[in-house]
Amino acid sequence: MHTIRIFDTVVKKQENFWNNIHFHPTDAIEDEWGQRILNEVAKDHVAQTVRMYAMLEDIVSMDENGKLQYDFTENDVRMDYMVEKGFQLLISYNFIPPCIAKNTEVFSVAAKGKTRYKGKVIIPSPPKDYALWEDICYEYTKHIVGRYGVERVKDWYLQCYNEPDIPTFFMPYLKPEEKGERLKEYCKLYHGFASGVTRAHVGLRLGGPAIGENVEFLQGFLHYVKENHVPMTYLSVHCYGVGMPGLRDGLTHLDPMNHVVKNKKYREILDAFFPGKIEMVVDEWGACTEGCFNVDECPKFMYRENEKFAAYYGKMITYCIEQDAAPTKTMICLSGQHEMTVDFSGFRNFFTLNFIKKPIYNAFVLGARLKKNVLKWEGEAENLSVLPTRDEEGRHGVMLSYAAPDFEQEIESFHGTLAFENVYGQKHVKVWAIDESHTNPYGLYLKNGYSPNLTKEQIEVLREEGNIKPVKEYDCEASGTLSIDVSCEGSGLLLVEF
C-alpha cells in the first residue's frame, strides 16, 4: 500500500482550463443527435466554452449584380441553441464562401468520407477580394452583437479561420516553392478579419491563427501582427500529443508531457513578440491527430474507447499545472461523430453510435469537480499522478491518474491511501473510478462477448455502465487526519471528494 499525504497548504490557484470542447460538425447543432449530445454536456457541466464554426458558406452568397447577400437563418438556429444552453463560445470565422473565393475548382473534405457532414466540402482558397472578406466579417460580427448583445459577445472568442498552415485547409494547390504564399495570404485574411470585427465593435476578443503545427508560420504571423499594429487579444493554437503515422507504426507512443512541451514553446514564441500581454487558447487538443479517422486507419485508436484516454486526460491536466504550462483554455476536438457505423471503432468523440458514454466523457465529468486551490502533497507511486485541490469552503477534490508511460503496457492494479492533514469533523466521502472494471462500457462489451450488432437490451446495459456513480460513498469523523483508501484496476482515473 502506498500512502499519499495531502496538506492544507495552497501551492497555487488554478482556474479550470480543461473543461472545454470543439464541437464538430457544427451543423449537427441544429440536429436532434447533436443536441442530444450537447444537452448532456450542458447538464453535466462538461464544457464551459465550446468552439464552433461560423460556417460562412451557409450564410453568404452574391446576387447577379455582384452584391453580397446574407441569410443568417441556420447560424441563428445553431447559436440560439448554444446561448440557451449557457455555453461561452469560440467562433471560428470560416470557411471562405464560394462566391468570393479566388479558386473554386479545388476543394477539401477533411473527413473520413467523400464529403463533410451533409454533403458539404471546404473551399480552401483565399478570397479574390479582401475588401469583400472584411465586409463579411463586419456583417457577421454586427449581426451577432445585435442579436445576442455586446455584453455577451465580448466574453466570446472570435477567431480567424482554421489551421491555415496546413494545406488541407488553405491553398493546397501551391507548389513547394510557393509555400511562403500561404503565410502572406493568411496575414491578409487575418488583417481583413480584424478590421471587419473592430469596425462592427471595438473591445471584442479576436485572435488567430489556430495553427495546426507550423511554428515558423506562427512566428511569421506574430511578426506581421506586431509590425502592422493589427488588433489581436488572444493567440489560438492546436496541440496534439502525437501524430497518427508515428503511433500507428510504433515509432512513438501517447505522452501527455508533449502538451507541456508544445504549450511552453507556443508561449515562449508569443511572449517574444508580446511579453506576458496576450492570453493563449488551445482550441483543439487530442492525444493523437486525425480525429476523423478510426481503427481502420490506426488500430491503436481503440484507446479512445477505453479507460486509458481518461487517464491521459488526467495526466495532461496535472502535468500542465505542475509544469506551469497551462493555457487559458484547452478544448478537446470531437470529430468523426457523424461517420460512426458501430459503437466502438476509435473515433475521437464522447458518445458511441447508440449514445453510450465513453470513459473520456466521464473523465470530463470528474474534471469539472476539481477546485481552484491546488494543494501540496507528498508520496510516491510508480505510474501515478496526483492533483489535490480544494475550494474556499473546504470541499476537496483529488484526481489520481494511473497509467504506464507509454499507455500500452499492462500494469498491476494500484492500491493506496490518501492521508489528508488538518481535517476535522464529520465528512461525507465519495470515490469515483474509471478503470478496467468501472464506468467502462467498452470493457464490459468485451467482457460480455458482445458483437457489434448490439441488441436493445445490450445497449441499455452498456448505457447504464456509462452512467458514472461513486464506487464508494460514506460518512466519517476526522480528528486531524482523514485517511481514504483507493484502488485502480490497471490504467484509469480516480476522483476522491469530501
Side-chain angles (χ1 to χ4, degrees):
M1 289 280 287
H2 299 273
T3 299
I4 306 297
R5 297 178 64 204
I6 298 173
F7 303 93
D8 194 31
T9 302
V10 177
V11 294
K12 69 168 61 175
K13 292 185 180 292
Q14 179 64 60
E15 295 292 333
N16 184 324
F17 63 86
W18 50 87
N19 273 105
N20 309 285
I21 65 174
H22 171 32
F23 187 79
H24 180 80
T26 290
D27 34 349
I29 294 172
E30 67 214 32
D31 297 333
E32 182 180 351
W33 72 267
Q35 292 185 4
R36 188 181 186 187
I37 292 171
L38 290 164
N39 287 345
E40 205 73 11
V41 166
K43 176 176 70 69
D44 290 335
H45 307 290
V46 160
Q48 301 168 349
T49 302
V50 180
R51 183 188 188 221
M52 58 184 287
Y53 293 156
M55 299 200 73
L56 298 170
E57 65 268 40
D58 288 350
I59 296 170
V60 184
S61 60
M62 187 176 285
D63 67 16
E64 58 187 13
N65 297 316
K67 182 179 179 181
L68 294 176
Q69 302 178 113
Y70 299 87
D71 182 351
F72 293 101
T73 303
E74 290 181 317
N75 176 84
D76 294 349
V77 168
R78 298 164 190 156
M79 207 166 284
D80 286 355
Y81 170 82
M82 300 300 278
V83 168
E84 177 189 329
K85 290 297 169 184
F87 295 122
Q88 183 188 38
L89 298 180
L90 186 152
I91 306 170
S92 183
Y93 282 44
N94 65 326
F95 287 99
I96 303 300
C99 63
I100 70 162
K102 191 174 184 178
N103 183 331
T104 57
E105 295 181 359
V106 178
F107 61 86
S108 181
V109 173
K112 186 178 177 69
K114 294 180 180 179
T115 70
R116 294 162 66 207
Y117 189 45
K118 300 182 179 179
K120 298 177 183 178
V121 296
I122 298 166
I123 302 294
S125 166
K128 59 188 175 185
D129 184 338
Y130 280 98
L132 294 176
W133 168 250
E134 179 181 330
D135 284 343
I136 289 171
C137 295
Y138 164 73
E139 293 291 346
Y140 184 84
T141 308
K142 185 177 73 170
H143 174 77
I144 62 174
V145 169
R147 188 172 183 85
Y148 304 107
V150 69
E151 289 304 309
R152 176 177 278 121
V153 176
K154 74 179 183 180
D155 287 334
W156 295 353
Y157 293 83
L158 310 182
Q159 176 193 86
C160 181
Y161 213 71
N162 176 72
E163 296 188 344
D165 59 316
I166 295 180
T168 297
F169 293 107
F170 199 52
M171 304 176 73
Y173 43 79
L174 289 178
K175 298 175 182 177
E177 62 270 19
E178 298 175 320
K179 66 178 183 179
E181 294 300 310
R182 189 171 285 114
L183 173 61
K184 291 179 183 178
E185 293 296 327
Y186 178 73
C187 288
K188 294 178 190 176
L189 195 74
Y190 182 83
H191 205 149
F193 157 81
S195 297
V197 169
T198 53
R199 180 150 59 99
H201 197 280
V202 176
L204 302 179
R205 280 190 176 122
L206 70 165
I211 62 160
E213 58 186 359
N214 191 317
V215 170
E216 290 182 4
F217 189 99
L218 175 60
Q219 292 171 321
F221 166 72
L222 291 173
H223 175 79
Y224 178 89
V225 167
K226 183 174 183 179
E227 290 297 307
N228 293 278
H229 307 287
V230 185
M232 184 182 76
T233 58
Y234 75 96
L235 174 73
S236 63
V237 294
H238 296 172
C239 188
Y240 288 93
V242 295
M244 184 191 74
L247 184 67
R248 178 194 60 209
D249 300 337
L251 302 176
T252 187
H253 59 81
L254 301 179
D255 187 352
M257 188 58 74
N258 288 340
H259 296 270
V260 170
V261 174
K262 291 183 178 182
N263 286 347
K264 284 191 171 185
K265 182 63 177 179
Y266 287 145
R267 185 78 243 181
E268 177 187 333
I269 293 170
L270 176 59
D271 286 345
F273 289 92
F274 302 98
K277 294 180 180 179
I278 293 179
E279 63 180 307
M280 189 180 87
V281 172
V282 176
D283 60 276
E284 282 189 27
W285 78 266
C288 186
T289 59
E290 308 299 347
C292 290
F293 291 160
N294 65 353
V295 292
D296 295 340
E297 290 78 23
C298 180
K300 291 181 180 180
F301 277 171
M302 287 311 293
Y303 79 83
R304 294 171 173 171
E305 307 290 350
N306 63 36
E307 72 283 355
K308 292 179 181 179
F309 202 4
Y312 186 102
Y313 172 68
K315 283 181 177 288
M316 183 194 72
I317 296 169
T318 304
Y319 292 167
C320 284
I321 293 173
E322 290 177 343
Q323 300 291 326
D324 295 320
T328 305
K329 293 181 182 291
T330 188
M331 305 176 187
I332 191 170
C333 182
L334 306 177
S335 308
Q337 299 179 124
H338 62 291
E339 299 195 276
M340 289 184 288
T341 57
V342 295
D343 279 283
F344 304 106
S345 64
F347 282 114
R348 192 173 60 218
N349 41 38
F350 277 162
F351 295 83
T352 74
L353 180 67
N354 284 297
F355 207 67
I356 300 163
K357 297 172 184 173
K358 296 185 179 185
I360 185 59
Y361 177 81
N362 283 307
F364 270 69
V365 172
L366 297 185
R369 304 174 78 95
L370 291 170
K371 316 304 179 186
K372 291 184 180 180
N373 296 308
V374 180
L375 302 178
K376 178 183 176 182
W377 67 278
E378 289 180 355
E380 188 174 342
E382 189 178 9
N383 303 316
L384 184 72
S385 299
V386 183
L387 179 58
T389 69
R390 70 161 170 78
D391 62 17
E392 300 300 336
E393 286 71 45
R395 291 184 289 260
H396 288 65
V398 181
M399 181 172 278
L400 306 171
S401 312
Y402 185 62
D406 63 1
F407 286 82
E408 293 183 14
Q409 178 185 348
E410 296 301 321
I411 55 177
E412 295 182 357
S413 298
F414 168 79
H415 303 283
T417 299
L418 303 186
F420 295 85
E421 304 292 336
N422 196 32
V423 178
Y424 298 88
Q426 187 78 10
K427 302 299 173 186
H428 185 74
V429 176
K430 289 184 181 181
V431 180
W432 311 79
I434 303 170
D435 60 16
E436 290 180 356
S437 300
H438 301 95
T439 327
N440 193 344
Y442 180 60
L444 186 60
Y445 168 91
L446 294 176
K447 180 180 178 181
N448 288 350
Y450 291 163
S451 71
N453 298 317
L454 295 170
T455 66
K456 289 183 179 179
E457 291 76 15
Q458 290 170 343
I459 290 170
E460 288 307 313
V461 168
L462 296 176
R463 283 179 180 167
E464 179 58 30
E465 176 68 12
N467 292 327
I468 193 166
K469 56 191 78 67
V471 295
K472 274 197 226 177
E473 185 171 7
Y474 59 91
D475 294 311
C476 62
E477 185 77 22
S479 55
T481 299
L482 174 63
S483 295
I484 301 174
D485 292 335
V486 294
S487 297
C488 182
E489 298 180 11
S491 305
L493 186 73
L494 303 177
L495 184 76
V496 177
E497 292 186 297
F498 66 86

